[in-house]
Short mmCIF file of all heavy atoms in Angstrom, two decimals:
data_model
loop_
_atom_site.label_atom_id
_atom_site.label_comp_id
_atom_site.label_asym_id
_atom_site.label_seq_id
_atom_site.Cartn_x
_atom_site.Cartn_y
_atom_site.Cartn_z
N GLY A 1064 111.79 38.41 51.03
CA GLY A 1064 110.86 38.48 52.18
C GLY A 1064 109.99 37.30 52.34
O GLY A 1064 108.94 37.31 52.98
N GLU A 1065 110.40 36.11 51.76
CA GLU A 1065 109.57 34.91 51.86
C GLU A 1065 109.77 34.14 53.10
O GLU A 1065 108.90 33.37 53.49
CB GLU A 1065 109.95 34.00 50.62
CG GLU A 1065 109.53 34.57 49.33
CD GLU A 1065 110.01 33.72 48.13
OE1 GLU A 1065 110.62 32.67 48.38
OE2 GLU A 1065 109.75 34.12 46.97
N ILE A 1066 110.89 34.33 53.76
CA ILE A 1066 111.19 33.62 55.05
C ILE A 1066 111.73 34.64 56.02
O ILE A 1066 112.28 35.65 55.69
CB ILE A 1066 112.17 32.44 54.90
CG1 ILE A 1066 113.50 32.89 54.31
CG2 ILE A 1066 111.59 31.34 54.01
CD1 ILE A 1066 114.56 31.82 54.30
N PHE A 1067 111.57 34.27 57.30
CA PHE A 1067 112.09 35.10 58.37
C PHE A 1067 113.51 34.66 58.64
O PHE A 1067 113.82 33.47 58.81
CB PHE A 1067 111.24 34.95 59.62
CG PHE A 1067 109.81 35.31 59.45
CD1 PHE A 1067 108.86 34.39 59.57
CD2 PHE A 1067 109.47 36.63 59.11
CE1 PHE A 1067 107.49 34.66 59.34
CE2 PHE A 1067 108.12 36.90 58.91
CZ PHE A 1067 107.11 35.91 59.03
N VAL A 1068 114.42 35.61 58.70
CA VAL A 1068 115.83 35.31 58.98
C VAL A 1068 115.99 35.33 60.50
O VAL A 1068 115.44 36.16 61.21
CB VAL A 1068 116.75 36.33 58.24
CG1 VAL A 1068 116.56 37.72 58.69
CG2 VAL A 1068 118.21 35.87 58.41
N THR A 1069 116.75 34.32 61.00
CA THR A 1069 117.03 34.29 62.42
C THR A 1069 118.03 35.41 62.81
O THR A 1069 118.80 35.89 61.91
CB THR A 1069 117.60 32.97 62.85
OG1 THR A 1069 118.86 32.77 62.25
CG2 THR A 1069 116.65 31.83 62.56
N TYR A 1070 118.02 35.80 64.01
CA TYR A 1070 118.92 36.87 64.42
C TYR A 1070 120.39 36.46 64.13
O TYR A 1070 121.17 37.27 63.58
CB TYR A 1070 118.76 37.15 65.97
CG TYR A 1070 119.67 38.25 66.43
CD1 TYR A 1070 119.40 39.57 66.15
CD2 TYR A 1070 120.80 37.90 67.14
CE1 TYR A 1070 120.27 40.57 66.58
CE2 TYR A 1070 121.66 38.90 67.60
CZ TYR A 1070 121.42 40.24 67.32
OH TYR A 1070 122.24 41.20 67.73
N PRO A 1071 120.88 35.24 64.50
CA PRO A 1071 122.24 34.92 64.21
C PRO A 1071 122.57 35.00 62.73
O PRO A 1071 123.64 35.52 62.35
CB PRO A 1071 122.43 33.50 64.72
CG PRO A 1071 121.40 33.36 65.76
CD PRO A 1071 120.24 34.17 65.33
N LYS A 1072 121.68 34.55 61.89
CA LYS A 1072 121.92 34.63 60.44
C LYS A 1072 121.86 36.03 59.93
O LYS A 1072 122.64 36.42 59.06
CB LYS A 1072 120.89 33.76 59.66
CG LYS A 1072 121.27 32.32 59.54
CD LYS A 1072 122.54 32.24 58.72
CE LYS A 1072 123.31 30.96 59.10
NZ LYS A 1072 124.73 31.00 58.68
N LEU A 1073 120.96 36.87 60.51
CA LEU A 1073 120.94 38.25 60.12
C LEU A 1073 122.26 38.92 60.43
O LEU A 1073 122.77 39.66 59.65
CB LEU A 1073 119.77 38.95 60.85
CG LEU A 1073 119.65 40.44 60.56
CD1 LEU A 1073 119.40 40.75 59.10
CD2 LEU A 1073 118.49 41.04 61.43
N MET A 1074 122.78 38.64 61.60
CA MET A 1074 124.05 39.22 62.03
C MET A 1074 125.18 38.77 61.05
O MET A 1074 126.02 39.53 60.65
CB MET A 1074 124.45 38.81 63.44
CG MET A 1074 123.58 39.49 64.47
SD MET A 1074 123.68 41.30 64.43
CE MET A 1074 122.24 41.77 63.56
N ASP A 1075 125.18 37.46 60.62
CA ASP A 1075 126.16 36.97 59.64
C ASP A 1075 126.06 37.80 58.35
O ASP A 1075 127.11 38.12 57.77
CB ASP A 1075 125.94 35.51 59.36
CG ASP A 1075 126.29 34.57 60.50
OD1 ASP A 1075 126.93 34.99 61.44
OD2 ASP A 1075 125.82 33.39 60.45
N ILE A 1076 124.84 38.02 57.90
CA ILE A 1076 124.63 38.74 56.64
C ILE A 1076 125.10 40.20 56.82
O ILE A 1076 125.83 40.70 55.97
CB ILE A 1076 123.20 38.72 56.22
CG1 ILE A 1076 122.75 37.28 55.81
CG2 ILE A 1076 122.85 39.64 55.03
CD1 ILE A 1076 121.28 37.09 55.71
N LEU A 1077 124.68 40.85 57.89
CA LEU A 1077 125.06 42.24 58.09
C LEU A 1077 126.56 42.42 58.19
O LEU A 1077 127.11 43.38 57.67
CB LEU A 1077 124.31 42.82 59.31
CG LEU A 1077 122.77 42.77 59.26
CD1 LEU A 1077 122.20 43.39 60.53
CD2 LEU A 1077 122.31 43.53 58.02
N TYR A 1078 127.20 41.52 58.92
CA TYR A 1078 128.67 41.66 59.05
C TYR A 1078 129.34 41.35 57.69
O TYR A 1078 130.32 42.02 57.39
CB TYR A 1078 129.20 40.71 60.12
CG TYR A 1078 129.06 41.27 61.54
CD1 TYR A 1078 128.10 40.81 62.41
CD2 TYR A 1078 129.94 42.29 61.95
CE1 TYR A 1078 127.97 41.32 63.68
CE2 TYR A 1078 129.78 42.82 63.20
CZ TYR A 1078 128.82 42.37 64.07
OH TYR A 1078 128.67 42.90 65.29
N ALA A 1079 128.87 40.40 56.95
CA ALA A 1079 129.43 40.15 55.63
C ALA A 1079 129.30 41.36 54.74
O ALA A 1079 130.24 41.62 53.98
CB ALA A 1079 128.72 38.93 55.00
N LEU A 1080 128.22 42.05 54.81
CA LEU A 1080 128.00 43.26 54.01
C LEU A 1080 128.72 44.43 54.57
O LEU A 1080 128.80 45.47 53.86
CB LEU A 1080 126.51 43.57 53.90
CG LEU A 1080 125.63 42.62 53.08
CD1 LEU A 1080 124.20 42.93 53.31
CD2 LEU A 1080 126.02 42.77 51.58
N ASP A 1081 129.19 44.34 55.80
CA ASP A 1081 129.75 45.50 56.50
C ASP A 1081 128.68 46.65 56.43
O ASP A 1081 129.01 47.77 56.05
CB ASP A 1081 131.08 45.96 55.88
CG ASP A 1081 131.83 46.92 56.81
OD1 ASP A 1081 131.56 46.96 58.05
OD2 ASP A 1081 132.67 47.71 56.29
N LEU A 1082 127.46 46.29 56.73
CA LEU A 1082 126.30 47.19 56.60
C LEU A 1082 126.46 48.41 57.49
O LEU A 1082 126.78 48.33 58.65
CB LEU A 1082 125.03 46.41 56.94
CG LEU A 1082 123.72 47.05 56.49
CD1 LEU A 1082 123.66 47.11 54.96
CD2 LEU A 1082 122.55 46.25 57.02
N PRO A 1083 126.24 49.58 56.89
CA PRO A 1083 126.29 50.80 57.67
C PRO A 1083 125.28 50.76 58.81
O PRO A 1083 124.19 50.25 58.72
CB PRO A 1083 125.91 51.89 56.68
CG PRO A 1083 126.05 51.30 55.34
CD PRO A 1083 125.87 49.83 55.48
N GLU A 1084 125.66 51.35 59.91
CA GLU A 1084 124.83 51.42 61.06
C GLU A 1084 123.46 52.06 60.74
O GLU A 1084 122.45 51.61 61.27
CB GLU A 1084 125.50 52.24 62.20
CG GLU A 1084 124.76 52.22 63.50
CD GLU A 1084 125.53 52.99 64.56
OE1 GLU A 1084 126.72 52.74 64.74
OE2 GLU A 1084 124.86 53.81 65.24
N ALA A 1085 123.40 52.96 59.88
CA ALA A 1085 122.15 53.67 59.55
C ALA A 1085 121.18 52.65 58.91
O ALA A 1085 119.96 52.70 59.20
CB ALA A 1085 122.41 54.81 58.59
N ALA A 1086 121.67 51.72 58.12
CA ALA A 1086 120.75 50.73 57.46
C ALA A 1086 120.24 49.79 58.54
O ALA A 1086 119.04 49.43 58.53
CB ALA A 1086 121.52 50.02 56.37
N CYS A 1087 121.07 49.38 59.49
CA CYS A 1087 120.63 48.51 60.59
C CYS A 1087 119.56 49.23 61.42
O CYS A 1087 118.56 48.58 61.77
CB CYS A 1087 121.81 48.11 61.47
SG CYS A 1087 123.07 47.12 60.64
N MET A 1088 119.79 50.49 61.72
CA MET A 1088 118.87 51.26 62.53
C MET A 1088 117.56 51.43 61.78
O MET A 1088 116.49 51.47 62.40
CB MET A 1088 119.45 52.61 62.94
CG MET A 1088 120.61 52.47 63.91
SD MET A 1088 120.20 51.52 65.38
CE MET A 1088 118.90 52.49 66.08
N ALA A 1089 117.59 51.58 60.46
CA ALA A 1089 116.33 51.68 59.68
C ALA A 1089 115.47 50.49 59.82
O ALA A 1089 114.28 50.58 60.00
CB ALA A 1089 116.69 51.93 58.21
N ILE A 1090 116.07 49.30 59.89
CA ILE A 1090 115.31 48.03 60.05
C ILE A 1090 114.66 48.11 61.45
O ILE A 1090 113.49 47.80 61.62
CB ILE A 1090 116.20 46.84 59.95
CG1 ILE A 1090 116.65 46.69 58.46
CG2 ILE A 1090 115.46 45.56 60.37
CD1 ILE A 1090 117.73 45.64 58.27
N LEU A 1091 115.41 48.46 62.47
CA LEU A 1091 114.87 48.51 63.82
C LEU A 1091 113.81 49.53 63.92
O LEU A 1091 112.75 49.31 64.61
CB LEU A 1091 116.00 48.78 64.83
CG LEU A 1091 117.01 47.69 65.02
CD1 LEU A 1091 118.12 48.11 65.90
CD2 LEU A 1091 116.38 46.41 65.50
N ARG A 1092 113.93 50.75 63.34
CA ARG A 1092 112.91 51.79 63.42
C ARG A 1092 111.63 51.28 62.69
O ARG A 1092 110.57 51.58 63.15
CB ARG A 1092 113.45 53.08 62.73
CG ARG A 1092 114.31 53.91 63.69
CD ARG A 1092 114.51 55.29 63.17
NE ARG A 1092 115.15 55.30 61.87
CZ ARG A 1092 116.47 55.23 61.63
NH1 ARG A 1092 117.28 55.13 62.58
NH2 ARG A 1092 116.89 55.27 60.37
#
């Protein structure tokens, strides 16, 4: 949490992890 991740990089990370939708929604909530 030392730096803010840009949206494009966040998407790269989430897709690489095949992150469950629930985890993505938790960040947004």
